[in-house]
Amino acid sequence: MADLEELYREIILDHYRSPRNRGELASPPAHRTEGFNPLCGDEIVVTIDVLDGVLQDIKIAGQGCSISQSSASLMSGAVKGKSIPDVRSTIATFKTLMLSHESHLGDGDAEPEAVDLKSLGELAALQGVVKFPVRIKCATLGWNTLTQALDEAGA
Amino acid sequence: MINEAEIRAAFPLLKRELHNTPIVYLDTAASSLQPQRVIDAMSHYYANSHANVHRGVYGTAEEATGLYEGARHAVGSLIGSKHPAQEIVFTKNTTESINLFVNSWGGTKLGPDDAVVISIMEHHANIVPWFVLQERIGFELRWIGVDGNGELMLDNLDELLTGAKVLSVTAMSNVLGTINPIAELAAAAHRHGAIIHVDGAQSVPHLPVDVDALDIDLMSFSSHKMLGPTGIGVLWARREILTAMPPFLTGGGMILDVRTDGFTPADGPSRFEAGTPPIAEAVGVAEAARYLKELGLDAVRDHEQALTAYALDRLFDAFGDELTVHGPRDVARRGGVISFTLGEVHAHDIAQILDSHAVCVRPGHHCAKPLMRHLGVPATARASFGVYNTTADADALVEGLRDAAKLFA
């Protein structure tokens, strides 16, 4: 079934089987934040090291489904080494992509905000999730946890 | 004997397709489907007899009141209540029934030196209300453990019940399928001077339940898990217990008198039914209860037990050691609820791939996190059967799981 193949793209399965930046940084000095999806029990632990306005290092721990874990893994690769404004901009772009399904809900005819998929690189592989609204919470768990970590770290 | 073709034809939703494939509904433990006659009974009520109950003197108001009060008899008859007019309280669902019991009975009968006994396998609905009341009163909450076979550990039951005022326990686990020995637990509770409240959400729809034979004191269950509509649940309580319980939700409908210096609550179930009740839903659950009674819970149980045995055999044949099924392997000791994990495939992914085969199962913690912690698994996939399921549905489950195993191999 086409939609299912779009959801479980090879790159997603690859990041699920071999997650990148796996583990935890020593905290302190790194900042550690836990995120939970209370509906399904998925959890993500994000540890970040911010110095001179740059996300120097990030590690991901936790457990959950292929979508939550691969999304967090892809995220870690996309934001590591970037300036904080760039990290926040990547988060915003990704979340816009995930929210694009909302234009299908309700009676409104609002057009979804255009997302520059090219700017997302490998992350664009997650766009198949949009067709499975229940799984969007899985895909965004790591990202929301990173946002919380940045806020808590004052970055 | 269950006539499969006849029963399947009675449930309109089974004609649905998902992704161009006929639906395979294996989520009855979450909510059952409804037969057309339940839907028709509710439609007929709205089209012909709707009025508010207990107020008007005109013809349709009398009809509505008669249907609503009559529903207590239909539901009571299913569970062996001898005095349904005095013992069947309609609520919103099992959760509200338990909250009613915990707050009304527990809020007035329990003190800081008392103890309440529940089990690790309870649904959150039979845990959280106790925690909330405990914060207010400070009683001791004691837990019956669960063994490696997914059954209650009753070796220390006498110890747990010593000094306890109430035992509140599920008759059938919504995760493990385990059927608990309720008659034995009731006898033990009474021996220690405690009362017993049973969470019957999973047992009433699937097993013969007779509250007198079990000698229990209270039982909570939901309509929507027993082929009836959502929005209505039941608290059954022995007359002498219900009579001594103060109101929980208050307002119109639950009073005998209201003055400027106070109020006098109504007697009987009405005391607990504040506001306009779910009348159409009562009509629906009454029809569901009559339907289940006509099918016969013995026949329902036989059908589902045979189907569970078939499904477990097929699953283990297909996946062997890759498959972990939680709960008793002996189908005589479990209902048609199969919670499982398959290799390293996460429950969410299993459910997603099964959906592409139109197979509806539920992933997650099933509102039983203390049990999931005890089992050491964050989530399971759960397939659960109803009377309308067949061996073909179990086959579809196995075929869908082959796909999941292949994708994540």
Side-chain angles (χ1 to χ4, degrees):
Chain A
M1 180 186 163
D3 281 355
L4 198 66
E5 280 159 25
E6 256 182 80
L7 180 67
Y8 293 119
R9 292 191 183 177
E10 195 44 54
I11 187 165
I12 289 176
L13 295 173
D14 176 50
H15 275 259
Y16 179 51
R17 292 187 187 109
S18 320
R20 320 296 200 264
N21 301 303
R22 185 77 184 167
E24 290 195 35
L25 298 168
S27 155
H31 186 84
R32 180 182 190 277
T33 301
E34 293 177 4
F36 294 97
N37 182 346
L39 291 176
C40 58
D42 282 6
E43 60 177 62
I44 297 277
V45 179
V46 173
T47 41
I48 54 169
D49 182 6
V50 180
L51 191 69
D52 301 330
V54 172
L55 182 62
Q56 305 285 352
D57 203 359
I58 177 169
K59 288 225 184 278
I60 309 289
Q63 53 77 27
C65 69
S66 61
I67 303 301
S68 71
Q69 301 303 307
S70 65
S71 182
S73 171
L74 282 157
M75 173 186 80
S76 70
V79 298
K80 187 172 167 176
K82 277 192 179 169
S83 72
I84 298 305
D86 281 355
V87 171
R88 290 206 180 258
S89 154
T90 303
I91 294 172
T93 308
F94 181 75
K95 293 206 60 174
T96 304
L97 173 69
M98 287 297 117
L99 290 174
S100 59
H101 82 288
E102 288 192 350
S103 58
H104 303 301
L105 304 175
D107 300 328
D109 49 9
E111 283 294 317
E113 200 176 323
V115 176
D116 179 5
L117 289 175
K118 274 198 188 128
S119 75
L120 284 171
E122 281 193 325
L123 291 171
L126 284 158
Q127 65 175 304
V129 173
V130 175
K131 288 191 178 165
F132 299 85
V134 175
R135 304 304 293 279
I136 291 171
K137 278 200 173 66
C138 308
T140 53
L141 177 61
W143 298 79
N144 290 335
T145 311
L146 174 59
T147 300
Q148 195 189 331
L150 291 170
D151 291 350
E152 288 170 357
Chain B
M1 271 295 278
I2 293 297
N3 181 331
E4 284 184 0
E6 203 174 283
I7 288 194
R8 288 185 67 80
F11 288 81
L13 205 138
L14 291 176
K15 297 182 184 76
R16 263 295 303 262
E17 294 192 340
L18 293 175
H19 324 299
N20 303 315
T21 309
I23 193 168
V24 177
Y25 190 76
L26 299 178
D27 200 20
T28 294
S31 199
S32 69
L33 303 180
Q34 289 72 36
Q36 188 64 47
R37 59 186 269 188
V38 166
I39 300 166
D40 287 347
M42 295 173 71
S43 297
H44 186 266
Y45 162 76
Y46 272 125
N48 293 278
S49 306
H50 176 69
N52 211 333
V53 292
H54 303 143
R55 311 275 197 289
V57 293
Y58 47 89
T60 47
E62 293 278 10
E63 277 174 37
T65 302
L67 287 166
Y68 183 71
E69 292 301 321
R72 297 191 209 277
H73 293 267
V75 171
S77 163
L78 185 70
I79 59 166
S81 164
K82 293 286 194 300
H83 312 283
Q86 287 94 44
E87 296 183 333
I88 298 283
V89 180
F90 286 126
T91 62
K92 188 170 70 183
N93 45 36
T94 303
T95 298
E96 189 180 293
S97 296
I98 299 176
N99 272 274
L100 194 178
F101 164 61
V102 170
N103 282 279
S104 170
W105 185 90
T108 49
K109 306 283 188 225
L110 293 173
D113 299 328
D114 290 324
V116 171
V117 182
I118 62 176
S119 88
I120 294 278
M121 69 166 74
E122 298 311 308
H123 186 284
H124 294 164
N126 193 24
I127 298 174
V128 181
W130 294 112
F131 276 138
V132 173
L133 186 66
Q134 188 187 33
E135 274 178 33
R136 208 169 86 209
I137 294 179
F139 53 81
E140 185 188 349
L141 193 57
R142 299 176 184 164
W143 299 79
I144 302 175
V146 172
D147 67 18
N149 200 31
E151 300 191 67
L152 294 180
M153 294 168 68
L154 300 177
D155 296 352
N156 62 340
L157 184 63
D158 280 316
E159 197 181 312
L160 289 173
L161 284 171
T162 302
K165 275 212 169 143
V166 57
L167 167 61
S168 185
V169 69
T170 183
M172 179 174 142
S173 164
N174 70 313
V175 178
L176 305 166
T178 313
I179 296 169
N180 289 325
I182 293 301
E184 184 188 328
L185 290 163
H190 292 153
R191 234 178 11 250
H192 288 273
I195 63 164
I196 179 168
H197 163 262
V198 172
D199 174 355
Q202 300 294 341
S203 63
V204 171
H206 303 286
L207 307 173
V209 172
D210 184 313
V211 292
D212 267 351
L214 293 170
D215 194 24
I216 57 177
D217 300 303
L218 302 99
M219 182 166 69
S220 299
F221 54 105
S222 284
S223 156
H224 75 97
K225 294 194 202 290
M226 52 176 276
L227 316 181
T230 56
I232 189 165
V234 179
L235 176 68
W236 167 84
R238 283 192 189 290
R239 276 187 302 183
E240 56 273 26
I241 288 176
L242 204 63
T243 308
M245 281 167 52
F248 172 48
L249 300 175
T250 58
M254 49 68 67
I255 49 89
L256 202 59
D257 186 27
V258 181
R259 305 166 303 275
T260 54
D261 66 344
F263 75 101
T264 310
D267 288 328
S270 298
R271 180 189 314 186
F272 305 100
E273 296 174 354
T276 296
I279 309 167
E281 287 76 6
V283 170
V285 70
E287 190 64 16
R290 282 189 283 269
Y291 181 66
L292 276 172
K293 206 166 178 190
E294 284 169 30
L295 293 177
L297 265 301
D298 284 312
V300 170
R301 168 63 178 151
D302 287 349
H303 174 77
E304 293 178 5
Q305 186 173 330
L307 181 53
T308 305
Y310 175 85
L312 286 172
D313 285 349
R314 286 281 334 257
L315 285 165
F316 280 108
D317 283 351
F319 304 107
D321 291 345
E322 281 291 283
L323 182 79
T324 303
V325 172
H326 299 281
R329 211 32 230 286
D330 178 0
V331 293
R333 303 173 80 89
R334 65 143 68 227
V337 173
I338 300 177
S339 282
F340 62 93
T341 50
L342 184 64
E344 294 298 308
V345 193
H346 191 276
H348 262 200
D349 295 313
I350 288 176
Q352 191 81 63
I353 293 160
L354 288 177
D355 167 66
S356 70
H357 291 255
V359 175
C360 310
V361 302
R362 187 177 168 188
H365 55 61
H366 316 297
C367 295
K369 289 198 84 166
L371 176 63
M372 302 301 281
R373 283 209 173 82
H374 171 76
L375 296 173
V377 288
T380 66
R382 180 185 71 185
S384 56
F385 299 123
V387 67
Y388 34 69
N389 289 119
T390 66
T391 53
D393 295 334
D395 293 342
L397 172 66
V398 171
E399 289 317 307
L401 287 173
R402 282 191 208 283
D403 237 25
K406 203 163 67 189
L407 187 63
F408 281 88

